[in-house]
Structure formats: C-alpha cells, structure tokens
Amino acid sequence: MKFKCGIYGGSFNPLHIGHVRCIINAANQCEKLVIIISNGVNRNEIDVRVRYRWIYKLTRHLPDVRIMILEDGAESKAAYDEKQWLTDAEKVRKFVGMPIDAVFCGSDYDENSFWKKCYPDAELVILPRDEVSSTKIRKNIYRHWEWIPNVVRPYFVKKVLLIGGESTGKSTLSQNLAMHYNTNFMEEAGREISERSGTDLLMLPSDFTDILLTHKQREIELLQSSNMVLFEDTDCLITKFFIGFLEGKDKERNSALADALAMVNEYDMILFCEPDVKFVQDGDRSEVIAADREKYSRQIKEMYRAHGFDFISINGDYQERYEKAVRLVDDLLGLGEGE
C-alpha cells in the first residue's frame, strides 16, 4: 500500500455517500486508517454515538480502520481556532500511536485547511467528493435522499401513524400512502393474531400481549428498510382501547404494557380517521362500536391526548382523505410546493 498510516476526519453530520467514497479510497491506500469524528458538544449536532455507529457499520469489514471521537467546545465551526487545532492534533497523534504519513480530505478542503496546518509532515491527499455537502443535505434531507447511505436512512425515516375507530379506512389509507411514497406500511398486528381461534371473540389474554410486542418489533424492523417515511396502521393505544372491553386481571396487565410502550413511542405525525365513511361489517367488527361510532372515536381521541399525543383529523370521502394525507406528508418531508 502507498501509506503506512492515514487519517480522514469530519463531523459527518450527517454521513453521506461522498464521505463513504472518501473512506473507501483512503482505506484502500493505507495499511492503517483512522477516521476522526469531530464532535462539537455545543453545536447541536447529531448525537456522536449515532455518527460513530454509522461509521462503524460501514467499516467493520475493514480490519485496519479505527475510529476516534475528537470533541471540542466551540460554539461554531468559525470559533474553532488554530490554537485549538494544534491542541487537538496532539490528541490525534496520541490516539494514532504512530507517524501519520497521509491526511485525506474531501475536495471541499484546500491546502490551507486544518489538516495541512496540523500535520505538515504528512502528504495531503484531496479526494473527489462531488458537489454534495452535509450543509446542503441538512437543509432538506429528503430532497437529497439519494445521498444518504442505507446505514444512515433509518435515523431520518419519519413515522406516520394512522388511528381511528373500526371501519374508518385507516388500513386502506396506510397502504395507499405507502404505495404513493414507495415505502413500507406496517399492518395492524392484531388482525393476524386475532384469528388464531378463528374469531376475535375467543381471543386469549396472551394474544393481546403478543399484539403489543409484535407491533413494536415490526416497527423496529421496518424502519431499517423504509423510504423516507413509514406508515403505521394503529399502535399500542388502539390495542389498549380494545383491551378496555375485556374483563379480569389480565386486562390490567396488558393495559399497563400498552401504557409502557406508549411512553417510548414517538411519531412525526398522527392522522385520525374520522367515522364519516360507511361502516362495513367484515364479520369481526364490533356492533357495539358500530352503534355509536362518534362516542368511541371521542374515547380514542381522549386517550391519545391523555398520553400527550397530538393528531390531525382526516375526513371526507376516500379520495379527499388520500389527497389531504399526501399534502400533509409532503409538508412533513419538505417536499411540498415552495419547499
């Protein structure tokens, strides 16, 4: 290889394909490569543990790559002066533990960069990084989605939850939105589990526990492969609503589990499907709920508010609901007109 030891650094806020290509080029030319993550503890950057994990996942197949976190307290990059540069360069040398003979930089750096001044004995290698930059990407992640590596995308995937009473079109709308955005939708876990006895009238208490845990696990899995946004058909609080129709001590246990899951759940948007479309009885839906749809819709709304969740109501016919939902999601992603 051309170099014994090289370094490549940046804030990786966020990590993008340009960084990835630089890392590959640098690793191919060095017996040992140290990637330095600059972490501005006062600059409102993405959690450095998240950035570390991104780079670790990308480079764990490369045995001679190490990762260093280099922290500074500057309020801005402009405030990170040359005195601090030299102090931090000594920290890097100590971490590396051997002479540094190559400093790799993307093409957004020049001969007067931090790296050249701090490591004058090393060869400065400028790597092409196209015209993409973390600054540009941060202005709108979703308009630059093609520059976001697969290991990074789950961090930025938005979660949109659809809720409402029975037969309000939330399952169909979830699927239609997923098709519109070419992404995943998460089917209601209870639909499959409730059929274990052939009817939801004979469900076991353990079935509700399975619904709650299965739903959360599926969310975690689907986030890994979603395209900008994940649509979820109901969640633990809708399950809790149906648990409320049960009797016995297992009702309390499952309700407590639903509350615990609600505490860790976060959504970027919640759409509430109003009961102003025709109720369709598919054989398993509750006639009790069907008899007073407005009453039970209010109960669901009150439960979400009590747990600290806001929501946007979706009403009208199916086309009106779909069009309104698309506008709302476009705005969430910064893809709307004028964005």
Side-chain angles (χ1 to χ4, degrees), residues 158-162 229-232 268-269 271 329 332:
K158 298 290 190 182
K159 293 194 295 182
V160 175
L161 173 66
L162 285 88
V229 58
L230 170 64
F231 295 98
E232 301 189 24
D268 297 284
M269 181 184 293
L271 303 178
V329 175
L332 176 67

Side-chain angles (χ1 to χ4, degrees), residues 109-145:
Y109 286 91
D110 58 32
E111 291 289 338
N112 296 314
S113 74
F114 159 88
W115 303 108
K116 186 60 179 177
K117 289 186 177 181
C118 291
Y119 306 97
D121 297 330
E123 180 176 339
L124 182 66
V125 183
I126 303 295
L127 299 170
R129 214 183 69 177
D130 303 294
E131 296 182 1
V132 70
S133 71
S134 295
T135 302
K136 185 176 181 180
I137 289 173
R138 281 196 301 273
K139 291 179 180 179
N140 191 313
I141 292 288
Y142 307 98
R143 287 193 183 277
H144 300 92
W145 195 248

Side-chain angles (χ1 to χ4, degrees), residues 67-85:
I67 307 169
M68 175 187 180
I69 296 173
L70 183 63
E71 293 189 341
D72 71 81
E75 297 291 336
S76 66
K77 287 191 174 182
Y80 185 51
D81 58 26
E82 291 195 26
K83 181 179 179 181
Q84 185 69 53
W85 289 7

